[in-house]
């Protein structure tokens, strides 16, 4: 399988290939300074510049089984990772963005990171407790986690709105996976999409104007790789939105926040059989 890391320009509708490889790489984050992407592959994290060079590995210390749930703090100083090396289940750690020793944040496992609050003080993530998938938040200093959903279907893929008013997530509580949002204190749960697709991984743009969603065919429940999917752009308040791209992808295409700092582009991974 060939992985093609690409960007999409909202205004022009054009895609640009940043880097291609016959390795499996996933889930690009755009750095807050706009200079590079972070991707994962083979349990490692890599920094990928836009100059055509190969990516460079980020030192993650003992964490050598990183998955595709990772992201950079709003100030660009800290990297959140999800790794299972220490416990055999995914745990969330923080480390310096340039690399270093990870510090454990979540003690309840498994936990899969998905978003930073705009002030950089709180993380949101998917936690599986007694085989129930729900949305949680926790301080960057650790401590008690705050549960936002309570087993109403499968809940996953949370990400913050730039004004910190909402946490968007996908949920199967009405049958098909759709996009919902909830206040950070767990109040006022609202459904955002009512589409014929299976909608996953909502990412609000940094300027608050758009919501980017990955959509499977409606009969697909989970988020597998190697399927035809759509990247759809919609109003954060809801609605039908529009299809920007149709591509071969799914798991790994855009699991985590992937907008450019200005909100005019986003990064994604397209897969091609070799």
């Amino acid at each position: 399988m060939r992985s093609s890391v690409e960007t999409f320009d909202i205004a022009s509708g054009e895609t640009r290939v940043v880097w291609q490889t016959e390795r499996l790489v996933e889930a690009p984050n755009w750095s807050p300074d706009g200079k590079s992407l972070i991707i994962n592959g083979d349990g490692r994290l890599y920094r990928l510049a836009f100059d055509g060079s190969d990516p460079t590995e980020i030192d993650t210390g003992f964490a050598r089984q990183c998955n595709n749930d990772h992201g950079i703090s709003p100030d660009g100083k800290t990297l959140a990772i999800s790794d299972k090396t220490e416990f055999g289940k995914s745990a969330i750690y923080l480390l310096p963005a340039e690399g270093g020793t990870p510090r454990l944040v979540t003690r309840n496992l498994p936990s899969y990171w998905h978003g930073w609050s705009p002030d950089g003080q709180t993380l949101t993530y998917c936690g599986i407790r007694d085989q129930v998938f729900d949305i949680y938040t926790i301080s960057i200093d650790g401590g008690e986690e705050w549960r936002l959903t309570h087993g109403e279907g499968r809940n996953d893929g949370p990400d913050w709105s730039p004004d910190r008013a909402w946490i968007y997530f996908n949920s199967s509580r009405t049958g098909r996976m759709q996009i919902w949002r909830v206040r950070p204190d767990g109040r006022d749960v609202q459904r955002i999409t009512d589409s014929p697709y299976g909608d996953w991984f909502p990412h609000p743009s940094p300027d608050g104007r758009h919501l980017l969603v990955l959509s499977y065919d409606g009969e697909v429940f989970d988020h597998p790789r190697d399927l035809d999917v759509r990247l759809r752009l919609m109003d954060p308040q809801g609605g039908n939105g529009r299809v920007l791209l149709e591509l071969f992808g799914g798991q790994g295409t855009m699991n985590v926040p992937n907008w450019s700092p200005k909100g005019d582009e986003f990064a994604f991974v397209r897969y091609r059989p070799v």
Side-chain angles (χ1 to χ4, degrees):
M1 189 66 62
R2 175 171 295 143
S3 304
S4 180
V5 182
E6 304 180 18
T7 62
F8 183 92
D9 185 284
I10 298 295
S12 68
E14 295 180 351
T15 60
R16 174 168 66 109
V17 175
V18 180
W19 183 66
Q20 291 185 334
T21 178
E22 294 189 8
R23 299 165 49 201
L24 175 65
V25 299
E26 301 176 305
N29 309 123
W30 208 306
S31 65
D33 63 10
K35 296 180 179 180
S36 61
L37 302 173
I38 288 181
I39 56 176
N40 66 281
D42 302 319
R44 312 291 192 263
L45 293 183
Y46 300 88
R47 183 171 286 105
L48 176 62
F50 290 99
D51 59 6
S53 62
D54 287 336
T56 58
E57 184 174 347
I58 299 172
D59 175 19
T60 55
F62 64 82
R64 311 299 283 173
Q65 298 183 65
C66 300
N67 58 44
N68 54 30
D69 297 321
H70 48 75
I72 314 166
S73 62
D75 63 7
K77 296 180 179 179
T78 308
L79 179 61
I81 64 172
S82 304
D83 180 84
K84 66 178 184 179
T85 303
E86 188 173 15
F87 302 105
K89 295 181 180 180
S90 180
I92 298 172
Y93 301 83
L94 299 181
L95 63 149
E98 65 273 14
T101 302
R103 172 177 62 85
L104 179 67
V105 178
T106 56
R107 297 190 177 277
N108 295 332
L109 310 177
S111 296
Y112 301 88
W113 181 89
H114 276 278
W116 285 91
S117 63
D119 63 4
Q121 297 302 301
T122 309
L123 309 178
T124 186
Y125 55 98
C126 172
I128 307 175
R129 312 289 180 257
D130 298 321
Q131 300 184 343
V132 177
F133 291 70
D134 274 313
I135 307 303
Y136 295 83
T137 60
I138 196 169
S139 166
I140 59 172
D141 297 321
E144 295 298 317
E145 61 185 12
W146 180 262
R147 187 175 181 178
L148 301 183
T149 60
H150 299 274
E152 309 93 336
R154 175 174 175 174
N155 304 284
D156 203 344
D159 195 4
W160 297 78
S161 64
D163 60 3
R164 206 178 186 274
W166 297 99
I167 293 176
Y168 288 81
F169 65 101
N170 49 271
S171 177
S172 66
R173 62 187 62 199
T174 54
R176 181 179 293 133
M177 193 66 78
Q178 297 286 276
I179 304 304
W180 296 70
R181 66 182 183 180
V182 62
R183 299 292 185 183
D185 63 3
R187 296 182 298 109
D188 197 15
V189 181
Q190 298 181 7
R191 183 172 178 171
I192 298 302
T193 62
D194 186 9
S195 78
Y197 306 118
D199 292 330
W200 282 79
F201 304 131
H203 299 310
S205 61
D207 57 12
R209 296 176 56 196
H210 305 296
L211 186 68
L212 183 64
V213 174
L214 184 144
S215 298
Y216 290 90
D217 290 344
E219 67 273 10
V220 179
F221 176 76
D222 207 339
H223 56 99
R225 67 175 77 256
D226 302 343
L227 290 176
D228 292 325
V229 296
R230 305 154 189 83
L231 303 187
R232 297 197 298 131
L233 194 69
M234 59 179 37
D235 189 295
Q237 305 302 316
N240 293 326
R242 60 189 174 100
V243 175
L244 299 177
L245 284 172
E246 295 184 353
L247 65 146
F248 191 69
Q251 168 78 310
T253 291
M254 48 165 265
N255 294 53
V256 284
N258 58 335
W259 284 96
S260 68
K262 294 181 180 179
D264 54 351
E265 297 179 85
F266 61 84
F268 65 98
V269 182
R270 184 196 307 264
Y271 300 102
R272 294 188 176 97
V274 176

